[in-house]
Amino acid sequence: MQKLLSSLGPVCAIIGAQWGDEGKGKVIDLLAEHFDVVARACGGANAGHTIVVNGKKHVFHLLPSGALHPHATVVIGGGLVLHLPTLLEEIRTLREAGIDVLPRLFISEEAHILFEFHKAIDGMLEEQRAAKRGKGIGTTRRGIGPAYMDKAARLGIRMGSLAGDLTAELSLRADMVKRMYGVEVKQAEELQHLSEARALLAGRVVDTVGLLHRLLGEGKMLLIEGAQATLLDLDHGTYPFVTSSSTTAAGALQGLGLPPRCLTSCIGVAKAYCTRVGEGEFLTEVQGPTGDRLRERGGEYGATTGRPRRCGWLHLPDLQRAAQINGYTHWNITKLDVLDEEETIPVGIGVTPEGRLKEEKLPGWKQSTEGITSFEKLPRAAQHYLSFIEKHTGVPVSLIGTGQERGAMIIRG
Ligand code: GDP
Ligand code: IMO
Ligand code: MG
């Protein structure tokens, strides 16, 4: 671990390479022990980051996954859209588990408040898309798109105004929302949520840009938690089947108000295969018994919506592109153990001019890798599979996930 940590340097970002749910939460939790500050940079409660410690499962939607470590300063950056009841619930759940995050939690004044009406608009837009195009995006219906729409339209309400009375502003928004979308804003319910958040979060909403720069100036180590992933990025993902935020390393820096040159490393997280929730292209998707086997072995059901995830194989050009966009310095390949029963493992290596997928078939290993913590103990074929990814992306595979538990990870170097 020490060797890995010194190669990461003081500011490390963890960024998904696929369509999300790669296992970012687990690696953040593992590394957070060695960092002083953990910061979520973008997205909202569409994220679901799962951590398993001694058989107990913790799922984070808004708080950074490093929050489980009592020494860590926890930052929620300005790039987020915050559904306050979800945040309060997460703080409460952690407290019930014996972890008090509040005294070390800092929320950006620039983060936008995501209201119940954003969720209603999200659902309505999905139904309109389904009626027009036959299918929606398959959003999480957490109101993400509409909250970022308000932000871009300069109509949003930010955390910085939480301390004041928002009755008049909300009433103005309610009129507009009614006229534009025909959605009735439940003002009393929204105001109730605001008042509960105001009470609990008093003193926790600050200038996190200034705070982060001060902490970095003091030599503190910062772990940046990306949410969603590169193929869901608003610009670089599989548009329009994407989320509404910038999910790349650059987006994470923007969401926290940090300059590009401060990043000393960026860990790309990718499953040893691939999954997607929601609609949109997925060239290497496999259906039928093989897809079902991957889903069952990998427990591929959404942490936020419970939806079954679509499953398939790696597509190398996507990993290469993600490595370019994010400047990955290390890979964390997760869920290697899920492939333990496969006879052969196809990998997408490109597309023919006629649009047909080109595949290479790699040998499987047909033995358990679960819980293995050293590279040398992996079966030869598994080592070869990881080297293949390394060779074709030019990024070293430094962390390898071999199970759900915190300790089920190979750390190289
Ligand atoms: P995230 O959104 O990227 O944090 O990923 P999720 O938490 O949504 O989904 C990843 C799932 O895979 C979670 O249930 C994790 O507990 C689980 N997981 C993570 N790493 C591994 C691994 O190496 N092996 C296995 N079997 N499960 C893993
Ligand atoms: P984490 O951080 C997987 C997907 C949704 C949908 C699309 C748009 O856990 O990896 P949205 O609600 O954001 O407007 O939905 O993006 N999506 C995710 N898929 N993991 C996530 O987050 C996701 N966040 C959004 O399923 O296809
Ligand atoms: Mg997830």
Side-chain angles (χ1 to χ4, degrees), residues 120-172:
I121 299 169
D122 195 359
M124 199 200 72
L125 292 177
E126 276 291 86
E127 265 127 48
Q128 283 182 4
R129 288 182 200 109
K132 264 204 173 138
R133 301 193 209 138
K135 61 181 174 196
I137 291 171
T139 73
T140 58
R141 299 196 178 221
R142 292 296 187 272
I144 305 300
Y148 281 113
M149 277 156 56
D150 273 3
K151 173 175 171 173
R154 291 149 293 175
L155 292 168
I157 302 177
R158 308 206 293 182
M159 286 301 284
S161 13
L162 180 68
D165 182 4
L166 288 167
T167 313
E169 194 154 352
L170 190 68
S171 160
L172 270 177

Side-chain angles (χ1 to χ4, degrees), residues 1 26-27 29-31 33 51-55 369-374 399-411:
M1 178 62 99
K26 181 184 153 187
V27 63
D29 166 67
L30 185 76
L31 292 175
E33 190 185 339
I51 292 157
V52 180
V53 187
N54 299 328
T369 59
E370 206 182 329
I372 290 184
T373 53
S374 100
L399 296 128
I400 302 147
T402 56
Q404 271 201 307
E405 273 287 338
R406 188 184 261 176
M409 185 81 90
I410 297 172
I411 299 167

Side-chain angles (χ1 to χ4, degrees), residues 51-384:
I51 292 157
V52 180
V53 187
N54 299 328
K56 183 166 167 46
K57 188 165 149 180
H58 304 265
V59 182
F60 292 95
H61 298 290
L62 289 170
L63 285 173
S65 308
L68 284 182
H69 295 274
H71 77 278
T73 298
V74 172
V75 173
I76 291 182
L80 275 91
V81 286
L82 291 177
H83 181 247
L84 294 170
T86 304
L87 180 62
L88 266 47
E89 181 63 33
E90 264 180 53
I91 294 170
R92 265 194 296 271
T93 308
L94 268 190
R95 187 177 293 153
E96 279 156 22
I99 300 158
D100 192 7
V101 74
L102 211 50
R104 53 195 171 94
L105 174 66
F106 299 92
I107 303 169
S108 170
E109 302 160 337
E110 294 173 350
H112 280 245
I113 301 175
L114 186 151
F115 291 92
E116 298 303 320
F117 70 78
H118 288 122
K119 292 201 227 170
I121 299 169
D122 195 359
M124 199 200 72
L125 292 177
E126 276 291 86
E127 265 127 48
Q128 283 182 4
R129 288 182 200 109
K132 264 204 173 138
R133 301 193 209 138
K135 61 181 174 196
I137 291 171
T139 73
T140 58
R141 299 196 178 221
R142 292 296 187 272
I144 305 300
Y148 281 113
M149 277 156 56
D150 273 3
K151 173 175 171 173
R154 291 149 293 175
L155 292 168
I157 302 177
R158 308 206 293 182
M159 286 301 284
S161 13
L162 180 68
D165 182 4
L166 288 167
T167 313
E169 194 154 352
L170 190 68
S171 160
L172 270 177
R173 284 296 295 131
D175 285 347
M176 232 189 262
V177 166
K178 174 88 178 143
R179 264 186 286 122
M180 286 170 79
Y181 305 103
V183 166
E184 202 69 59
V185 175
K186 295 181 183 134
Q187 293 185 53
E189 181 192 24
E190 305 276 20
L191 286 170
Q192 177 64 25
H193 289 169
L194 290 173
S195 118
E196 283 166 19
R198 188 176 298 123
L200 192 80
L201 302 177
R204 306 325 306 162
V205 182
V206 302
D207 165 23
T208 55
V209 176
L211 173 73
L212 285 173
H213 282 270
R214 197 165 60 248
L215 291 169
L216 290 178
E218 289 167 9
K220 297 282 195 287
M221 287 179 66
L222 168 66
L223 190 60
I224 300 173
E225 173 167 349
Q228 290 73 55
T230 309
L231 297 179
L232 288 172
D233 181 78
L234 184 56
D235 295 299
H236 305 294
T238 47
Y239 192 89
F241 299 99
V242 294
T243 190
S244 298
S245 61
S246 296
T247 59
T248 56
L253 292 168
Q254 171 71 6
L256 293 170
L258 294 172
R261 70 183 156 84
C262 83
L263 205 60
T264 48
S265 57
C266 183
I267 302 181
V269 189
K271 277 178 190 164
Y273 50 102
C274 191
T275 63
R276 174 165 209 175
V277 236
E279 298 296 334
E281 71 172 50
F282 185 173
L283 280 174
T284 51
E285 181 171 10
V286 275
Q287 278 155 344
T290 306
D292 293 343
R293 185 170 62 245
L294 289 175
R295 184 172 310 106
E296 292 316 312
R297 281 191 59 82
E300 298 296 358
Y301 296 88
T304 299
T305 58
R307 289 179 289 177
R309 295 174 183 149
R310 298 156 66 194
C311 295
W313 308 115
L314 283 187
H315 189 230
L316 275 180
D318 290 341
L319 296 191
Q320 289 160 340
R321 177 60 74 96
Q324 288 174 330
I325 291 174
N326 298 298
Y328 290 150
T329 53
H330 304 69
W331 278 119
N332 172 203
I333 301 297
T334 65
K335 304 187 92 161
L336 187 72
D337 53 298
V338 174
L339 298 182
D340 286 350
E341 286 181 5
E342 302 305 312
E343 198 75 50
T344 55
I345 306 169
V347 175
I349 53 169
V351 184
T352 65
E354 304 78 49
R356 274 213 331 272
L357 178 71
K358 287 195 279 186
E359 273 186 354
E360 191 162 324
K361 284 198 164 60
L362 277 81
W365 41 92
K366 299 282 279 176
Q367 69 189 82
S368 174
T369 59
E370 206 182 329
I372 290 184
T373 53
S374 100
F375 189 78
E376 289 65 38
K377 294 216 169 102
L378 284 177
R380 269 289 154 79
Q383 294 185 0
H384 175 250

